[in-house]
Amino acid sequence: MGEFDLIARYFTRAPRHAVLGVGDDCALLQPQPGMQWAVSSDMLVDGRHFLSTTPPAHLGHKALAVNLSDLAACGAKPVAFTLALALPQIDEAWLKGFSQGLWALADEHGCELVGGDTTQGPLNICITVFGEVPPGDAMLRQHAQAGDDIYVSGTVGDARLALEVFRGTLSLDAPHFEAARIRMEQPTPRVALGQALRGVANAAIDISDGLVGDLGHILQRSKLGAVLTTDWVADSAAISPALQTLPLNRRLDMALAGGDDYELLFTAAPDQADAVQDAANASGVSVTCIGRITANAGLQVLDAHGVAMSRRFASFDHFAR
Ligand code: ADP
Ligand code: MG
């Protein structure tokens, strides 16, 4: 099988909303009247973003999920994506699994594949997503306000928990490991929540590198500080039963600096608290209040007694030494 047969067999379907899909030099997309494009790319590199043990269907899911998560963080509605793929060889079992995982998540969100590029090389998956958002409605990192509550969606720390089990630094019983592994390999992009938070949240980001580090991006762009509480790490909807099995200090590291969570971290004025809960209920995901934005720069992490902790929660940086 050659490059073009591969594209035709695994990555071509009839266009739905696109004016023109796979097959020509460009795809053609027509935004809904009055909408803006929200565009984002994310790359997954073998050995760096995923383990070789990852089933191909999970990889297909994750490659799109991490991109949809960026649209969610802006409050955009997914429309289309492109897929640039470097493959070491043509492995039909792999392509079948990968494309199944990809199509399943794409269909769930009505997001269609409109083009891409395919080449031979070390396994590398790069997706670019296109979403729609009304002008001025995108939730941006720079729009946090002093006094805003800080929230996180879903649960944090599970992907790192699974990674540490794979690395052999931790062990878990089978059901807890399976639950954590699903969070690592098949994260759920909070697409509905992101759209429901438009006009409710001020600033938002999705957690890819670690909660504290990603909150740092909001603080830097908004030129503000924050106080983070940690009592929620002891017991709240944001901590899964699997993570609950760890002692509190290890749980803190996973929850605050684990990374790969693909949950939304967002800020909203205190008078929006009911609207935040309504958005969470409407989209079927929990949200947990974990702190407050302050006019003073800097980030304080408080222990269960409200005392500032001195330890650091370093987040992931591909170029850090
Ligand atoms: P070009 O020669 O213009 O670079 P290609 O030969 O790379 O075009 O691709 C042919 C067509 O197949 C294009 O429409 C391109 O968008 C599409 N395509 C290539 N690879 C993929 C892929 N992995 N997924 C979806 N579409 C793809
Ligand atoms: Mg090309």
Side-chain angles (χ1 to χ4, degrees):
M1 184 166 54
E3 177 187 332
F4 299 101
D5 296 329
L6 182 163
I7 296 165
R9 183 169 307 177
Y10 295 104
F11 300 116
T12 306
R13 297 197 310 191
R16 297 184 192 179
H17 303 288
V19 180
L20 187 67
V22 169
D24 216 303
D25 294 308
C26 292
L28 299 174
L29 300 176
Q30 178 73 52
Q32 293 298 307
M35 295 294 236
Q36 284 180 341
W37 288 121
V39 181
S40 180
S41 292
D42 254 317
M43 187 155 68
L44 295 189
V45 177
D46 194 4
R48 183 142 273 273
H49 297 98
F50 56 90
L51 304 172
S52 52
T53 51
T54 314
H58 293 188
L59 263 185
H61 173 103
K62 185 163 181 175
L64 183 57
V66 302
N67 278 278
L68 293 175
S69 179
D70 284 313
L71 290 185
C74 283
K77 175 175 175 283
V79 174
F81 67 103
T82 61
L83 169 67
L85 205 52
L87 300 170
Q89 72 270 322
I90 292 183
D91 173 344
E92 291 225 50
W94 189 93
L95 281 161
K96 192 159 179 259
F98 177 83
S99 58
Q100 278 170 356
L102 184 78
W103 292 131
L105 187 65
D107 288 345
E108 198 181 309
H109 293 282
C111 190
E112 61 181 322
L113 178 57
V114 294
D117 199 23
T118 306
T119 175
Q120 200 268 331
L123 183 57
N124 193 333
I125 307 158
C126 182
I127 286 181
T128 298
V129 277
F130 300 81
E132 284 180 344
V133 64
D137 277 9
M139 297 183 289
L140 304 183
R141 299 176 182 186
Q142 70 200 39
H143 284 164
Q145 302 292 319
D148 277 1
D149 289 320
I150 303 169
Y151 296 87
V152 68
S153 68
T155 66
V156 284
D158 303 310
R160 183 57 177 270
L161 177 62
L163 179 63
E164 293 303 330
V165 174
F166 276 116
R167 283 175 170 167
T169 70
L170 277 177
S171 61
L172 272 183
D173 60 40
H176 284 138
F177 173 58
E178 202 39 45
R181 179 183 178 162
I182 287 172
R183 296 280 297 144
M184 173 186 171
E185 294 182 352
Q186 296 181 285
T188 305
R190 302 303 184 188
V191 171
L193 178 65
Q195 289 170 80
L197 287 172
R198 287 199 314 232
V200 173
N202 287 325
I205 189 169
D206 69 315
I207 304 177
S208 51
D209 298 334
L211 190 158
V212 162
D214 287 320
L215 174 60
H217 295 305
I218 290 184
L219 302 183
Q220 196 191 7
R221 297 293 289 246
S222 297
K223 302 190 173 64
L224 293 168
V227 175
L228 263 194
T229 59
T230 51
D231 49 344
W232 57 274
V233 180
D235 183 24
S236 75
I239 303 298
S240 70
L243 199 56
Q244 286 276 3
T245 64
L246 295 195
L248 190 59
N249 66 326
R250 296 231 50 192
R251 238 189 273 173
L252 269 174
D253 283 319
M254 310 254 163
L256 296 191
D260 241 10
D261 297 304
Y262 304 102
E263 293 295 346
L264 297 185
L265 181 69
F266 59 95
T267 82
D271 65 9
Q272 294 293 316
D274 289 344
V276 167
Q277 286 306 328
D278 290 347
N281 295 340
S283 41
V285 57
S286 63
V287 297
T288 305
C289 185
I290 60 168
R292 180 155 292 185
I293 299 289
T294 59
N296 295 341
L299 174 65
Q300 277 201 330
V301 182
L302 304 184
D303 69 14
H305 309 289
V307 178
M309 299 174 80
S310 55
R311 55 192 283 207
R312 294 265 154 257
F313 296 93
S315 74
F316 195 78
D317 176 340
H318 285 286
F319 295 101
R321 289 156 187 274

